[in-house]
């Protein structure tokens, strides 16, 4: 059986599901695109090629294994984009949550069915109909659950709204040992620079008491201000709109000391190293064209505590 334990974003990683770029299915048509950045690259003729995605994805796998992380992969589904494993499930404490996700991606769960079969049934929690959440919106952190979400008006209006109030309330109900804090995100189906697809597209805790944050990703200024006050201004690495667009907040923590980041994030990587982090630089620009990066590619199963 697979043992689960996730209480935060940065404790030393022992086991993770890393998405796969195998059998991507080619460039999708615009009718089947569910984020503005992919749409932009399809229109521009720059949507990534499968072989480039595989090369980047495997480079990330090599870094994880270098740090002695057990890496699981989804079973390959024909003609299916399975790069972003984060959203098809999530672990909080010893519980694996089977969420309701965007309909276009629901079948991706089939790729990790063999892993779910290795989890004790009493440790599996299935979201009820009407409650929606994706793993990119959910972050356990020091006794709290940070959750990016949309109120009903935005949830119904935007395809990029992935977590609703019912999903937020579901987490509150089942994880009463956590303080659940929701943050409304800015959404746009057509402009990637005006869209925070998930919470990890504009915010992520790093280390033991720091974070990366983009002010413009939050619908309510008060939410951004609360986070800055909570972490302390000196502990917040503020990123620009352009850096948000290139997914600078979507790094991945292997431990409190080690962060995987895109090789081209020069300003961010220099700042992380100045703050004492070891930065594993991995080329991931092609994967970023589909509006996700390192955190999006991973579904952590176990960290050490």
């Amino acid at each position: 059986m697979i043992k689960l334990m996730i209480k935060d974003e940065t404790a030393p990683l022992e086991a993770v599901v890393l998405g796969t770029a195998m059998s991507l299915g080619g460039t999708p048509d615009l009718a089947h695109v569910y984020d503005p950045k992919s749409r932009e690259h399809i229109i521009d003729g720059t949507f990534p090629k499968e072989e480039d995605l595989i090369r980047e994805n495997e480079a990330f796998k090599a870094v994880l294994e270098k740090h002695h992380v057990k890496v699981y992969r989804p079973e390959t589904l024909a003609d299916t984009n399975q790069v972003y494993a984060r959203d098809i499930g999530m672990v909080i404490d010893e519980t694996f949550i089977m969420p309701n996700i965007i309909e276009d991606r629901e079948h991706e769960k089939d790729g990790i069915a063999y892993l779910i079969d290795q989890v004790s049934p009493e440790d599996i929690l299935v979201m009820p109909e009407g409650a929606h959440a994706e793993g990119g919106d959910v972050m356990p952190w020091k006794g709290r659950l940070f959750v990016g979400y949309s109120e009903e008006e935005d949830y119904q209006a935007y395809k990029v709204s992935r977590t609703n109030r019912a999903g937020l309330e579901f987490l509150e109900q089942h994880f009463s040992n956590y303080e659940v804090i929701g943050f409304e995100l800015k959404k746009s189906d057509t402009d990637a620079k005006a869209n925070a697809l998930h919470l990890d597209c504009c915010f992520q805790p790093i280390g033991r008491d720091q974070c990366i944050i983009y002010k413009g990703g939050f619908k309510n200024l008060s939410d951004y201000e609360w986070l800055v006050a909570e972490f302390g201004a000196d502990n917040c690495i503020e990123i620009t709109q352009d850096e948000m667009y290139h997914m600078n907040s979507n790094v991945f923590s292997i431990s409190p000391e080690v962060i995987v980041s895109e090789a081209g994030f020069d300003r961010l990587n220099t700042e992380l190293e100045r703050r004492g982090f070891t930065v594993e630089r991995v080329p991931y620009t092609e994967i970023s064209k589909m509006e996700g990066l390192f955190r999006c590619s991973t579904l952590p199963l176990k960290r050490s505590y």
Side-chain angles (χ1 to χ4, degrees), residues 5 50 119 180 191 222 234 238 246 286 294:
M5 179 56 70
E50 183 176 302
V119 174
V180 179
D191 183 358
S222 59
D234 290 343
E238 301 265 1
H246 288 102
E286 294 302 303
F294 298 105

Side-chain angles (χ1 to χ4, degrees), residues 93-107:
D93 291 341
E94 297 174 294
T95 301
F96 192 100
I97 303 163
M98 296 292 293
N100 294 315
I101 62 176
I102 188 170
E103 185 177 352
D104 306 68
R105 298 187 60 190
E106 188 71 26
H107 64 293

Side-chain angles (χ1 to χ4, degrees), residues 158-230:
Y158 297 104
K159 198 166 188 177
V160 289
S161 292
R162 304 297 175 81
T163 299
N164 63 2
R165 173 159 287 279
L168 176 70
E169 291 174 350
F170 171 85
L171 293 169
E172 287 178 323
Q173 175 187 351
H174 287 278
F175 296 95
S176 57
N177 55 320
Y178 286 83
E179 179 186 5
V180 179
I181 304 172
F183 306 100
E184 283 190 83
L185 304 177
K186 284 187 179 177
K187 299 293 181 179
S188 172
D189 284 334
T190 57
D191 183 358
K193 289 192 174 183
N195 177 52
L197 183 62
H198 293 115
L199 182 59
D200 59 18
C201 295
C202 62
F203 166 77
Q204 186 177 173
I206 55 173
R208 292 179 172 84
D209 57 3
Q210 300 181 59
C211 72
I212 301 169
I213 192 166
Y214 170 59
K215 179 179 180 179
F218 297 89
K219 185 172 183 179
N220 303 311
L221 179 62
S222 59
D223 288 342
Y224 159 80
E225 291 175 338
W226 185 90
L227 283 165
V228 171
E230 185 67 20

Side-chain angles (χ1 to χ4, degrees), residues 43-172:
I43 292 171
D44 290 348
T46 54
F47 193 81
K49 295 179 173 61
E50 183 176 302
E51 57 266 30
D52 295 328
L53 295 173
I54 291 172
R55 184 183 66 253
E56 292 182 346
N57 193 229
E58 292 303 308
F60 186 13
K61 177 175 180 283
V63 168
L64 292 167
E65 291 181 335
K66 169 186 168 182
H67 289 273
H68 311 294
V69 176
K70 171 65 176 175
V71 179
Y72 296 92
R73 309 305 293 271
E75 290 185 332
T76 302
L77 307 176
D79 299 329
T80 299
N81 187 335
Q82 295 175 269
V83 172
Y84 299 133
R86 175 69 61 164
D87 302 317
I88 58 176
M90 64 191 88
V91 176
I92 300 174
D93 291 341
E94 297 174 294
T95 301
F96 192 100
I97 303 163
M98 296 292 293
N100 294 315
I101 62 176
I102 188 170
E103 185 177 352
D104 306 68
R105 298 187 60 190
E106 188 71 26
H107 64 293
E108 289 180 44
K109 294 178 183 176
D110 295 342
I112 60 169
Y114 82 99
L115 289 171
I116 305 305
D117 288 343
Q118 299 176 61
V119 174
S120 179
E122 60 264 29
D123 292 332
I124 297 174
L125 183 60
V126 179
M127 276 194 165
E129 185 177 353
H132 292 261
E134 294 188 351
D137 278 326
V138 181
M139 297 179 182
W141 184 252
K142 299 187 183 300
R144 290 169 162 154
L145 278 182
F146 297 146
V147 182
Y149 81 107
S150 296
E151 291 289 0
E152 194 63 20
E153 182 180 8
D154 281 357
Y155 187 75
Q156 295 299 328
Y158 297 104
K159 198 166 188 177
V160 289
S161 292
R162 304 297 175 81
T163 299
N164 63 2
R165 173 159 287 279
L168 176 70
E169 291 174 350
F170 171 85
L171 293 169
E172 287 178 323

